[in-house]
Amino acid sequence: AQRVTQPEKLLSVFKGAPVELKCNYSYSGSPELFWYVQYSRQRLQLLLRHISRESIKGFTADLNKGETSFHLKKPFAQEEDSAMYYCALGAASGSRLTFGEGTQLTVNP
Amino acid sequence: GAVVSQHPSWVICKSGTSVKIECRSLDFQATTMFWYRQFPKQSLMLMATSNEGSKATYEQGVEKDKFLINHASLTLSTLTVTSAHPEDSSFYICSAIGTRISYEQYFGPGTRLTVT
């Protein structure tokens, strides 16, 4: 069974501080992992995909298969990063996604 | 590009009536669409996967006869909540996968259903 855990429902940091949003997963096969973001009153949108290994808006995420983690990091948080972040797990490209509970990030001025 | 719309954005209906929610991919063809349900301050829970021209695949615990899904074309999927009850009140979100970028799900803005 697929499962995604985001241990922090709320995370608050100050502008310019580093931020890490945690995500752990449980899956017996080879996972595809994603981070989705939902800004206030907007729809969910893809932020990162682990296979692409790129940095979007200063965010990066590394898949650690040993620790079954896919934590999202940014060295210097900005106020506009305040949003709801969801970690999601898929079995393969184009397959159904299992979402974590989400972490509400607030970046204070 | 890759815009998904939902209609209506919100709907209030009486208990016992049926409600249809539309999900459209506006500028791409969607081979697969997904329907999610989201309760307040909770995560998205997948209800069903809908492939164009075939029957939807429902997740465990989701009543097929209650939540009817039709994916008649490559740009339209509908979710009908039949004989709605107050416990069906929720936020329903659809997403679509296009033919060009198969891994990315594009999400609709959601539909708020309130059953009185």
Side-chain angles (χ1 to χ4, degrees):
Chain A
Q2 298 176 203
R3 199 159 95 177
V4 178
T5 304
Q6 292 179 250
E8 303 137 330
K9 286 204 166 195
L10 302 170
L11 185 60
S12 184
V13 300
F14 286 103
K15 177 183 172 181
V19 63
E20 181 180 55
L21 291 84
K22 291 185 168 53
C23 171
N24 288 89
Y25 68 91
S26 173
Y27 182 60
S28 55
S30 186
E32 284 216 24
L33 283 146
F34 306 83
W35 276 99
Y36 280 83
V37 60
Q38 188 171 28
Y39 299 102
S40 179
R41 296 200 177 100
Q42 294 187 29
R43 68 189 68 196
L44 211 60
Q45 56 186 286
L46 179 65
L47 179 64
L48 279 180
R49 179 186 178 217
H50 91 269
I51 286 181
S52 61
R53 301 183 68 83
E54 55 189 345
S55 172
I56 304 292
K57 299 185 179 183
F59 284 97
T60 58
D62 290 318
L63 176 61
N64 186 322
K65 290 188 177 181
E67 295 183 357
T68 59
S69 68
F70 188 56
H71 302 329
L72 183 68
K73 300 177 185 179
K74 185 168 182 176
F76 307 103
Q78 302 300 314
E79 289 180 68
E80 55 265 29
D81 296 328
S82 296
M84 190 72 164
Y85 291 81
Y86 292 97
C87 182
L89 166 69
S93 271
S95 70
R96 56 193 287 285
L97 292 175
T98 299
F99 283 86
E101 296 291 319
T103 298
Q104 178 67 51
L105 173 66
T106 302
V107 181
N108 300 299
Chain B
V3 178
V4 175
S5 70
Q6 282 184 240
H7 178 79
S9 54
W10 59 271
V11 57
I12 302 173
C13 71
K14 290 187 176 180
S15 189
T17 62
S18 295
V19 175
K20 181 186 283 188
I21 302 170
E22 293 185 348
C23 176
R24 292 183 187 273
S25 56
L26 298 185
D27 50 2
F28 67 102
Q29 292 187 326
T31 50
T32 303
M33 288 182 169
F34 301 90
W35 285 96
Y36 296 86
R37 185 171 179 177
Q38 186 177 34
F39 291 104
K41 297 188 178 179
Q42 293 190 27
S43 187
L44 287 77
M45 293 199 55
L46 181 65
M47 298 174 66
T49 302
S50 166
N51 291 297
E52 185 265 338
S54 61
K55 288 184 179 180
T57 302
Y58 290 81
E59 295 299 301
Q60 195 172 5
V62 177
E63 297 176 59
K64 301 178 185 182
D65 296 330
K66 176 137 188 87
F67 299 99
L68 300 178
I69 291 172
N70 183 283
H71 193 161
S73 78
L74 283 172
T75 58
L76 173 65
S77 176
T78 60
L79 167 68
T80 301
V81 183
T82 62
S83 187
H85 289 283
E87 57 265 30
D88 299 326
S89 298
S90 190
F91 198 56
Y92 292 88
I93 303 171
C94 74
S95 70
I97 289 181
T99 52
R100 281 189 298 148
I101 303 177
S102 63
Y103 62 82
E104 181 166 356
Q105 290 190 27
Y106 297 97
F107 285 81
T111 296
R112 169 78 58 199
L113 169 64
T114 302
V115 184
T116 60

